[in-house]
């Protein structure tokens, strides 16, 4: 869910901000979950080289108020938008925006993935800025996959809709991107929900296990067909 959230946010934000400078820092599971000390240090180092205006989290941060306090102290004038879906022990006090379906005042179903939460932020932003919503279609497959692989409640019509739309888009052959995955992974004529849970899911998640999160992120961000095929081949070996 963390990797798909990062990919979804990165693609969506780049579409919104166009040529403005953006960076994505992928957390390493070996360093710990959430805004651990090493992740905070990486952000501070990045800020020292190129001042950061805005930080947007994906799939973590709800219980890391101390880390955000440190970031605010070290990174002058930085704003923080927190997107997450995990249980909240204490509301973070020093972020500008806190988006989490587990909030008591949330109107959305509680059992949606972190990727779906980040996607909703993009949907609302596209609406506010009157951007062409068709650019959001390529993000839906990652949202659907994360819904299955993060074991969200599939009795919810909301989650059923996301997964059905993801399958429809991937099977439409609209994006050669998903056709390459199908060929390299030996998937049949059509993607099914089983492929989300037992073929794509393990491939996406293996980076966390073997300390190769950044390779999986690059794989999911790649648009060049030849490079994508190579990234997938490496990912398959990592998964094995």
């Amino acid at each position: 869910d963390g990797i798909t959230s990062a990919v979804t946010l990165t693609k969506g934000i780049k579409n919104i901000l166009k040529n403005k400078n953006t960076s994505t820092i992928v957390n390493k599971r070996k360093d710990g979950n959430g805004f651990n000390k090493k992740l905070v240090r990486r952000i501070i180092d990045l800020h020292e080289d190129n001042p950061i205006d805005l930080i947007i989290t994906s799939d973590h941060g709800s219980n890391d108020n101390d880390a955000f306090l440190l970031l605010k102290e070290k990174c002058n004038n930085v704003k923080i938008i927190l997107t997450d879906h995990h249980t909240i022990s204490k509301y973070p006090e020093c972020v500008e925006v806190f988006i989490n379906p587990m909030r008591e005042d949330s109107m959305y179903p509680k059992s949606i993935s972190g990727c779906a939460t980040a996607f909703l932020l993009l949907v609302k932003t596209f609406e506010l800025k009157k951007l062409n919503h068709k650019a959001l279609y390529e993000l839906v497959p990652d949202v659907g996959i994360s819904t299955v692989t993060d074991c969200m409640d599939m009795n919810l019509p909301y989650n059923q809709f996301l997964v059905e739309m993801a399958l429809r888009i991937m099977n439409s052959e609209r994006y050669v991107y998903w056709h390459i995955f199908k060929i390299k992974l030996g998937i049949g004529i059509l993607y099914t929900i089983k492929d989300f849970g037992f073929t794509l899911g393990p491939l996406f998640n293996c980076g966390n296990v073997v300390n190769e999160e950044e390779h999986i992120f690059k794989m999911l961000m790649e648009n060049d067909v030849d490079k994508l095929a190579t990234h997938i081949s490496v990912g398959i070996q990592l998964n094995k």
Side-chain angles (χ1 to χ4, degrees):
D1 194 20
I3 289 288
T4 51
S5 299
V7 170
T8 298
L9 263 184
T10 301
K11 288 181 177 179
I13 292 299
K14 284 182 179 293
N15 195 295
I16 294 167
L17 298 181
K18 302 302 181 186
N19 296 323
K20 291 186 179 179
N21 188 22
T22 61
S23 299
T24 300
I25 298 178
V26 181
N27 187 37
K28 292 184 175 294
R29 180 62 57 86
K30 70 172 186 176
D31 296 334
N33 294 325
F35 268 70
N36 56 75
K37 292 180 180 179
K38 289 189 177 181
L39 180 58
V40 170
R41 184 69 257 172
R42 290 168 69 190
I43 295 172
I44 293 172
D45 289 344
L46 182 62
H47 178 75
E48 291 174 352
D49 293 335
N50 190 6
I52 297 171
D53 299 312
L54 177 66
I55 293 172
I56 308 178
T57 80
S58 62
D59 194 38
H60 64 177
S62 291
N63 302 299
D64 298 311
N65 194 62
D66 290 344
F68 294 129
L69 284 171
L70 178 60
L71 283 172
K72 290 275 190 176
E73 179 184 323
K74 298 293 184 180
C75 306
N76 295 332
N77 302 317
V78 69
K79 306 297 183 185
I80 299 172
I81 297 175
L82 196 166
T83 77
D84 191 12
H85 74 135
H86 293 100
T87 303
I88 309 162
S89 59
K90 181 182 178 182
Y91 277 36
E93 301 170 350
C94 60
V95 301
E96 278 65 34
V97 180
F98 178 34
I99 304 170
N100 187 329
M102 299 300 289
R103 286 179 57 133
E104 294 176 359
D105 56 353
S106 173
M107 296 181 291
Y108 284 91
K110 301 297 183 188
S111 184
I112 62 173
S113 70
C115 187
T117 305
F119 180 70
L120 285 170
L121 168 62
L122 295 173
V123 171
K124 293 297 183 182
T125 305
F126 268 63
E127 288 178 359
L128 288 170
K129 296 182 71 66
K130 295 180 169 58
L131 299 174
N132 189 341
H133 70 278
K134 289 184 178 179
L136 292 169
Y137 276 102
E138 71 166 309
L139 308 180
V140 174
D142 284 324
V143 182
I145 292 166
S146 74
T147 297
V148 174
T149 57
D150 218 35
C151 300
M152 297 295 100
D153 184 0
M154 287 307 299
N155 288 316
L156 283 177
Y158 192 83
N159 287 335
Q160 292 172 8
F161 172 77
L162 288 172
V163 172
E164 287 172 5
M165 180 173 280
L167 286 168
R168 197 176 305 129
I169 290 171
M170 293 164 73
N171 288 324
S172 71
E173 300 290 339
R174 182 184 302 178
Y175 301 105
V176 67
Y177 177 92
W178 291 109
H179 186 69
I180 301 300
F181 271 98
K182 186 188 293 184
I183 293 171
K184 297 293 290 184
L185 294 172
I187 293 171
I189 297 174
L190 296 176
Y191 282 101
T192 69
I193 194 170
K194 186 176 180 180
D195 294 315
F196 286 7
F198 295 99
T199 306
L200 293 168
L203 176 65
F204 291 7
N205 192 56
C206 73
N208 284 332
V209 182
V210 295
N211 195 32
E212 290 285 354
E213 291 92 341
E214 290 183 3
H215 173 80
I216 301 301
F217 177 76
K218 288 178 182 178
M219 177 184 76
L220 295 176
M221 287 293 299
E222 187 59 67
N223 288 318
D224 181 272
V225 171
D226 293 330
K227 290 181 180 179
L228 175 60
T230 300
H231 284 323
I232 295 172
S233 296
V234 173
I236 290 170
Q237 292 305 312
L238 292 174
N239 194 28
K240 286 182 179 179

